[in-house]
Amino acid sequence: MSKKITLTDLARDPGCLAEYDPNAMGYHDAQKWIHQFISPIKETEIIPIKDSLGRILSEDIYSPIDVPNYENSAMDGFVFFQPKENSPKILKVTGSVLAGQISSQEIISGEAIQIMTGGKIPNGGNTVIPIELVTHENNKIVLNETPKIGANIRKVGEDVKKGALILKAGKCIRPSEIGLLASLGLSSIKVYHRLRVAFFSTGDEVVAVGKPIKIGQVYDSNNHTIGAMLKQLGVDTIDLGIVADDRKALKETLLSIADKADVIITSGGVSVGAADFMKEILREIGEVLFWKLSIKPGRPLAYGKISQAHYFGLPGNPVASMVTFYQVVQPHLKTLMGETGYQPPPLFKVKAESLIAKRPGRMEFQRGILFKKNNEWWVRTTGSQGSAILSSMTQANCFIVLDIHLDSVDAGSDVHVQLMEGFV
Ligand code: AMP
Ligand code: MG
């Protein structure tokens, strides 16, 4: 069991180290709190469906046609008229219809027409028997089974009815949506403009890759993880590189980009260190609407506005900045992009292979490896969970999501995991 934290402890330790901090908001409350300041961007544009993967629809789509627009066969087989009683056993084959052909031949009792999948049902036919269920000899077929009336016939509008609402504004376009739009003959759609997101790293010790590094410096990995996560979301990025821990430079950079970007994301400088200026600057040139979150990693996380731009100040530690991006920022970016009802990837219960250490007071997103053993899914942690250990993110295939009140999880107990693949 973890040590119980008293109010006296807290008064002595108001920084970012305490497991429980009364000034830090719970994850779900924080998400609701930030959400009230977020609404979709206004600008829209019309684009070809071919270029619409990952874009967000900004208008409802009603079908201009029935799909299919003609009654057709779902199988390669024979079409005939199946009466309510006295089903025929033997039929004479009098012709054939391929997909794309229209037969003017009428089907009369005792006769069948060979038909291919997608072929238009000729007048008089009401049932298709698949080729596998008949014995075909000369001009005759013997039916080995009695199909139900209407079997294997695709009805007009069976997939989509003319005039029906098929896609709602706010929907993220995936390959299936592009296919559905194409099946309606629509070649272009109206979508939200791409969100413009500017980002930069802060820190005197942070150096761009490609440059030599001295002892005491770190390469700027956040620029690359944040840039890549933004690319995966399909936003337009404005990469501002690295800005030193210098109030003037930080302020000027923020002000210079505030009217060109919908969102500004920075990493580093939001904690309680001597060179952590971001919150203070935000207060000066905009408004701080949120600061501390009771999650691990990533307690210091600032949200606010600078003119019309939304500002997210992520922690500098590489794992913390990725976790807070995925878990906290991404849902809000999705809303700003115009997507309605975005949900983070679902949680699944699996078994912990060994003890997962935790103290109550913060919700944790540990890095986990999900694996199958004896037909069951299990999870183990990637090892050290330090928020600077970026290799834990590359080893992991899931987050182990541990609720705020949870203590350590024993080996063999159930635990929630969330697939990392779900975030892309
Ligand atoms: P900060 O949040 O600025 O106090 O930084 C916390 C830790 O993260 C420090 O050890 C920084 O050196 C490190 N850090 C900050 N920014 C970056 C970055 N862009 N890339 C890699 N590490 C960083
Ligand atoms: Mg720093």
Side-chain angles (χ1 to χ4, degrees):
M1 276 300 283
S2 63
K3 179 175 155 265
K4 202 160 175 67
I5 295 157
T6 65
L7 279 175
T8 324
D9 293 335
L10 283 169
R12 239 186 270 131
D13 182 14
C16 279
L17 286 173
E19 280 306 312
Y20 174 72
D21 178 343
N23 299 316
M25 210 185 267
Y27 174 77
H28 299 289
D29 285 344
Q31 289 301 73
K32 266 194 230 148
W33 171 259
I34 298 174
H35 191 75
Q36 66 180 315
F37 302 104
I38 307 274
S39 52
I41 54 167
K42 299 273 182 295
E43 305 102 301
T44 59
E45 59 183 327
I46 291 172
I47 59 166
I49 59 167
K50 270 196 171 15
D51 301 332
S52 69
L53 189 64
R55 301 296 296 270
I56 315 291
L57 259 185
S58 65
E59 61 178 355
D60 291 342
I61 305 275
Y62 294 88
S63 178
I65 56 169
D66 280 315
V67 183
N69 69 358
Y70 64 104
E71 210 177 33
N72 68 83
S73 178
M75 303 289 274
D76 291 328
F78 296 86
V79 55
F80 65 103
F81 178 77
Q82 176 78 300
K84 283 199 179 113
E85 286 165 11
N86 300 325
S87 306
K89 294 279 170 279
I90 300 178
L91 295 165
K92 188 175 159 206
V93 181
T94 59
S96 73
V97 197
L98 303 179
Q101 285 183 342
I102 294 192
S103 170
S104 55
Q105 218 179 320
E106 184 117 359
I107 294 177
I108 54 173
S109 173
E111 291 185 358
I113 288 178
Q114 186 161 20
I115 193 162
M116 306 307 150
T117 306
K120 185 177 183 305
I121 303 296
N123 285 342
N126 70 351
T127 301
V128 169
I129 183 158
I131 198 159
E132 296 83 355
L133 299 181
V134 303
T135 312
H136 191 182
E137 262 171 32
N138 303 323
N139 277 345
K140 290 215 167 65
I141 49 168
V142 179
L143 281 55
N144 303 331
E145 266 181 30
T146 306
K148 283 197 186 118
I149 295 173
N152 303 307
I153 291 184
R154 297 175 183 146
K155 299 271 180 248
V156 170
E158 180 181 287
D159 184 3
V160 177
K161 289 221 167 17
K162 186 174 174 177
L165 173 63
I166 55 136
L167 293 174
K168 279 195 175 164
K171 177 101 184 150
C172 181
I173 303 289
R174 303 168 301 172
S176 50
E177 277 75 30
I178 297 181
L180 188 60
L181 290 161
S183 77
L184 307 179
L186 298 171
S187 60
S188 54
I189 46 166
K190 205 186 218 185
V191 296
Y192 285 100
H193 196 281
R194 278 190 200 277
L195 199 67
R196 282 161 298 237
V197 184
F199 64 105
F200 62 90
S201 303
T202 72
D204 287 342
E205 78 286 25
V206 181
V207 177
V209 295
K211 290 190 177 160
I213 198 172
K214 296 193 198 93
I215 297 293
Q217 295 183 320
V218 292
Y219 277 123
D220 184 5
S221 57
N222 292 351
N223 173 273
H224 295 274
T225 50
I226 292 169
M229 291 186 290
L230 289 170
K231 278 207 187 89
Q232 264 179 341
L233 276 180
V235 303
D236 277 343
T237 52
I238 308 168
D239 181 351
L240 300 173
I242 303 163
V243 180
D245 290 319
D246 174 281
R247 282 172 217 263
K248 192 161 165 277
L250 290 166
K251 214 188 280 186
E252 279 171 9
T253 309
L254 289 170
L255 286 171
S256 71
I257 202 68
D259 59 349
K260 299 185 188 72
D262 302 303
V263 180
I264 305 169
I265 297 177
T266 65
S267 70
V270 282
S271 193
V272 292
D276 290 337
F277 303 132
M278 297 315 289
K279 207 160 42 82
E280 197 183 305
I281 292 173
L282 184 61
R283 193 172 295 125
E284 265 175 57
I285 62 171
E287 43 181 342
V288 182
L289 297 163
F290 181 80
W291 179 43
K292 265 190 201 174
L293 192 60
S294 55
I295 68 168
K296 191 176 176 178
R299 172 151 50 207
L301 180 139
Y303 167 71
K305 302 244 355 222
I306 304 170
S307 325
Q308 286 316 296
H310 298 267
Y311 170 80
F312 291 95
L314 308 184
N317 271 310
V319 178
S321 65
M322 283 196 84
V323 169
T324 48
F325 183 97
Y326 279 138
Q327 300 290 352
V328 183
V329 180
Q330 180 158 312
H332 301 302
L333 293 183
K334 286 280 198 175
T335 305
L336 287 164
M337 288 163 76
E339 187 166 334
T340 33
Y342 170 80
Q343 289 291 332
L347 303 183
F348 294 103
K349 246 189 224 167
V350 298
K351 292 209 178 329
E353 188 191 45
S354 44
L355 179 111
I356 299 175
K358 182 186 181 290
R359 290 170 63 190
R362 284 207 263 174
M363 183 172 182
E364 291 197 17
F365 298 95
Q366 297 199 11
R367 276 70 66 210
I369 300 167
L370 188 64
F371 62 97
K372 209 170 180 182
K373 189 172 74 181
N374 303 333
N375 253 349
E376 260 189 314
W377 287 99
W378 292 74
V379 71
R380 73 170 77 97
T381 72
T382 54
S384 170
Q385 294 294 309
S387 62
I389 302 187
L390 191 52
S391 58
S392 71
M393 284 295 286
T394 63
Q395 288 162 30
N397 58 7
C398 68
F399 285 116
I400 303 170
V401 182
L402 303 162
D403 208 41
I404 186 164
H405 303 300
L406 269 186
D407 213 317
S408 295
V409 176
D410 293 328
S413 295
D414 282 346
V415 69
H416 279 127
V417 295
Q418 188 180 40
L419 286 181
M420 281 193 181
E421 287 302 313
F423 283 94
V424 299

